[in-house]
Amino acid sequence: MKYTLILFLLFVVFIWQSSSSSANSETFTQCLTSNSDPKHPISPAIFFAGNRSYSSVLQANIRNLRFNTSSTPKPFLIIAATHESHVQAAVTCGKRHNLQMKIRSGGHDYDGLSYVTYSQKPFFVLDMFNLRSVDVDVASKTAWVQTGAILGEVYYYIWEKSKTLAYPAGICPTVGVGGHISGGGYGNMMRKYGLTVDNTIDARMVDVNGKILDRKLMGEDLYWAINGGGGGSYGVVLAYKINLVEVPENVTVFRISRTLEQNATEIVNRWQRVAPELPDELFIRTIIDVVNSTVSSQKTVRASFIAMFLGDTTTLLSILNRRFPELGLVRSDCTETSWIQSVLFWTNIQVGSSEKLLLQRNQTVNYLKRKSDYVREPISRTGLESIWKKMIELEIPTMAFNPYGGAMGRISSTVTPFPYRAGNLWKIQYAANWREDRLTDRYMELTRKLYQFMTPFVSKNPRQSFFNYRDVDLGINSHNGKMSSYVEGKRYGKKYFAGNFERLVKIKTRVDSGNFFRNEQSIPVLP
């Protein structure tokens, strides 16, 4: 019975392919086979709906359970590429058969645009997770990293070669390299070294014609676009060449929390003025959430301060005791450790644990929603108190404040597509996690209510958002006609890319005028 069902599904796919193909009677799978390197057969990398491995491959990199339900639209086929020719074949055949292709590198994609469609039209997924090599060259302080790698793998293989080299990228080791870098990823060294895109020097990608291009062949405009403007709008990025940065043999980290009863308002009020002005080597994130009060039966707000300092504890204490005494940091709060161990610390893994934990791709998954904002002016104490009151009312959503300043204020807003540099004090990430599908509507609404409440305190005209925190609330693109596609794309594009949006559109129009590389929030072509 099982095999009969599989044959039936394959037959359905075959009939659909034959009827939808505008090129000829050649099936999509035949096209894939004939356009990939015969020395590296593509057949084992193809997973049809109905194949017994299909579900496990699809679900392996889904990090948001909102998009892992029975009603979630599924791809009719997944290509888990194991060779560059598989990527070339996917592009060539997807274009030839007029099929939408979704490109997935890690699956953290908050609103699922790399593996879910909002159009209800047939689509397939090109999954990059098998293309994950990390080639570190200590002598040149560079590395070539394939886009299917996760950040933990990048960090681990750098550490294997050098204890004083690192890469300034995200704090979550399971994030996929492709989306992280191409969207302008950041981490706790951004005040010292800038964003991931400020530390790339080359790339390899497959363009709309199925050709492999490096930086020289693609030209500076296209390289600029895929280095912060989202690679998936322009092609399939195979790998980035990254610059490695110097770190001390030991860094200092700490994590301390204060509630409202412990003067959290005053400390946060001071943090917002001090954190962007501290030495570049120091990054202090603040996480705001609602907890049970220990002094009453009421809820209270807790502010947690998590930091990394590229230096020793004595120097850190000297800086903060002078410039941020309200925090009350003492030596026992601090941990001196290697940079690689600090990555574990930031992931809530005990310092001293095996570095090999960074190679694990599996993680606990939740239902979740994320949104983002940028703050350009300090929030008054009265404003902070009103925010705390609203958070206690809503109870569920949290906020993470990530300070800017340092290198972020010295790099021009047009050097890469990522525009939010000087003038921004910090970025907000709104977050809600839950474990049961029945809570989805409620938790989504609570997160949106907090976001709406924050309107007076954040950037305006446009209200700015971070591209890597994909948020379909900002608008989606149906790609029905070039004019409507451009209008819809501008709605979210200006929020993500501000003044760089129009340049991204012009480059997109030049290199992919047929808009093959598209998703619900991709860069549109000019009408």
Side-chain angles (χ1 to χ4, degrees):
M1 180 65 184
K2 179 173 69 175
Y3 295 106
T4 302
L5 176 61
I6 291 173
L7 289 171
F8 173 75
L9 288 168
L10 289 174
F11 175 76
V12 170
V13 171
F14 172 81
I15 294 299
W16 170 77
Q17 290 168 339
S18 299
S19 63
S20 66
S21 175
S22 59
N24 49 50
S25 59
E26 171 196 52
T27 69
F28 182 56
T29 49
Q30 287 173 335
C31 179
L32 291 171
T33 301
S34 61
N35 281 276
S36 57
D37 187 341
K39 294 179 182 177
H40 302 275
I42 195 172
S43 297
I46 300 174
F47 299 88
F48 281 103
N51 180 292
R52 63 181 179 180
S53 298
Y54 170 89
S55 293
S56 61
V57 172
L58 176 64
Q59 294 172 14
N61 289 307
I62 294 178
R63 309 301 186 196
N64 188 345
L65 290 176
R66 286 198 292 125
F67 305 112
N68 196 16
T69 67
S70 59
S71 61
T72 302
K74 306 293 194 300
F76 76 89
L77 175 150
I78 302 168
I79 302 171
T82 57
H83 188 259
E84 290 183 346
S85 72
H86 300 170
V87 178
Q88 293 175 285
V91 173
T92 298
C93 299
K95 184 180 176 185
R96 183 177 299 172
H97 287 263
N98 194 29
L99 296 170
Q100 184 176 14
M101 180 176 73
K102 298 277 187 169
I103 309 163
R104 184 167 76 167
S105 68
H108 269 235
D109 188 0
Y110 285 146
D111 271 353
L113 302 187
S114 60
Y115 55 90
V116 172
T117 183
Y118 287 67
S119 70
Q120 304 304 314
K121 295 178 181 178
F123 70 103
F124 70 97
V125 168
L126 173 61
D127 209 323
M128 302 292 286
F129 70 90
N130 286 316
L131 297 174
R132 55 204 278 190
S133 68
V134 179
D135 185 11
V136 178
D137 184 348
V138 172
S140 65
K141 299 180 183 178
T142 62
W144 272 104
V145 181
Q146 285 189 307
T147 51
I150 57 172
L151 293 181
E153 291 170 328
V154 178
Y155 298 154
Y156 181 85
Y157 293 123
I158 294 171
W159 171 79
E160 264 197 332
K161 295 287 187 70
S162 170
K163 305 307 185 243
T164 57
L165 290 176
Y167 182 52
I171 65 164
C172 183
T174 57
V175 168
V177 164
H180 186 70
I181 294 180
S182 73
Y186 76 98
N188 55 20
M189 290 193 287
M190 71 174 180
R191 302 188 65 254
K192 176 68 173 179
Y193 293 113
L195 304 174
T196 54
V197 289
D198 301 321
N199 294 277
T200 61
I201 53 177
D202 204 344
R204 284 171 54 80
M205 70 169 286
V206 175
D207 72 359
V208 72
N209 298 311
K211 295 181 179 179
I212 296 179
L213 310 175
D214 61 9
R215 181 172 182 172
K216 183 178 180 180
L217 289 173
M218 73 179 73
E220 288 303 301
D221 261 7
L222 181 51
Y223 176 75
W224 178 86
I226 66 170
N227 200 36
S233 289
Y234 301 91
V236 183
V237 182
L238 299 168
Y240 284 101
K241 188 177 185 181
I242 61 175
N243 266 330
L244 308 182
V245 301
E246 298 277 358
V247 292
E249 287 191 12
N250 285 303
V251 302
T252 304
V253 292
F254 68 78
R255 181 186 291 110
I256 58 177
S257 299
R258 302 287 186 264
T259 63
L260 295 184
E261 296 80 5
Q262 296 168 318
N263 212 24
T265 302
E266 181 60 33
I267 300 171
V268 173
N269 190 36
R270 180 63 178 161
W271 172 92
Q272 66 177 334
R273 290 164 170 80
V274 171
E277 303 295 333
L278 289 169
D280 297 358
E281 293 78 12
L282 178 54
F283 180 93
I284 307 176
R285 166 182 281 182
T286 300
I287 296 178
I288 311 294
D289 62 354
V290 176
V291 296
N292 292 322
S293 173
T294 58
V295 298
S296 73
S297 60
Q298 304 299 311
K299 296 287 184 179
T300 189
V301 164
R302 174 178 62 183
S304 299
F305 302 87
I306 307 99
M308 189 183 70
F309 175 59
L310 298 172
D312 60 76
T313 301
T314 299
T315 305
L316 173 62
L317 288 169
S318 175
I319 293 168
L320 290 184
N321 288 340
R322 184 175 71 256
R323 302 185 60 176
F324 193 9
E326 294 84 356
L327 187 60
L329 188 72
V330 296
R331 186 172 293 272
S332 60
D333 295 323
C334 302
T335 301
E336 267 189 42
T337 189
S338 63
W339 173 76
I340 196 73
Q341 284 287 322
S342 80
V343 177
L344 296 176
F345 173 88
W346 273 75
T347 317
N348 294 317
I349 298 174
Q350 185 174 351
V351 170
S353 300
S354 171
E355 291 83 2
K356 288 189 176 181
L357 290 172
L358 296 173
L359 301 177
Q360 294 182 0
R361 298 175 75 94
N362 296 328
Q363 66 170 7
T364 302
V365 294
N366 297 294
Y367 295 85
L368 60 88
K369 178 61 182 175
R370 301 288 187 268
K371 299 176 77 67
S372 61
D373 261 320
Y374 288 86
V375 177
R376 299 179 62 87
E377 300 288 341
I379 301 173
S380 69
R381 185 185 180 94
T382 301
L384 290 174
E385 289 171 344
S386 71
I387 294 169
W388 309 155
K389 182 178 178 182
K390 188 65 176 180
M391 290 188 73
I392 291 171
E393 173 193 325
L394 300 175
E395 194 172 332
I396 299 303
T398 67
M399 290 192 290
F401 298 167
N402 296 284
Y404 272 35
M408 293 299 292
R410 296 191 293 270
I411 299 172
S412 167
S413 62
T414 58
V415 168
T416 71
F418 181 91
Y420 302 126
R421 307 281 190 164
N424 291 283
L425 297 178
W426 75 86
K427 173 170 58 188
I428 300 175
Q429 183 188 59
Y430 305 89
N433 296 340
W434 59 100
R435 297 295 300 167
E436 298 179 63
D437 186 43
R438 65 180 180 83
L439 298 173
T440 294
D441 289 345
R442 176 170 175 255
Y443 279 47
M444 294 278 284
E445 182 61 23
L446 293 173
T447 308
R448 289 166 177 152
K449 283 184 176 180
L450 180 58
Y451 178 81
Q452 182 62 34
F453 183 83
M454 292 294 292
T455 302
F457 308 111
V458 299
S459 60
K460 301 169 180 65
N461 302 318
R463 185 171 183 173
Q464 303 164 353
S465 294
F466 179 37
F467 181 68
N468 269 357
Y469 294 168
R470 292 297 191 91
D471 180 6
V472 297
D473 292 350
L474 304 181
I476 61 173
N477 203 326
S478 58
H479 299 289
N480 290 326
K482 289 186 176 181
M483 178 57 76
S484 63
S485 175
Y486 173 77
V487 171
E488 290 174 353
K490 191 172 184 178
R491 188 172 297 122
Y492 56 79
K494 283 285 189 180
K495 294 171 183 175
Y496 288 138
F497 300 112
N500 291 330
F501 173 71
E502 297 297 343
R503 182 181 174 188
L504 288 168
V505 172
K506 290 177 182 177
I507 297 168
K508 166 72 172 180
T509 304
R510 177 171 59 82
V511 303
D512 183 22
S513 60
N515 198 26
F516 171 70
F517 294 110
R518 66 189 185 276
N519 61 53
E520 285 75 5
Q521 286 196 337
S522 57
I523 300 296
V525 296
L526 284 168

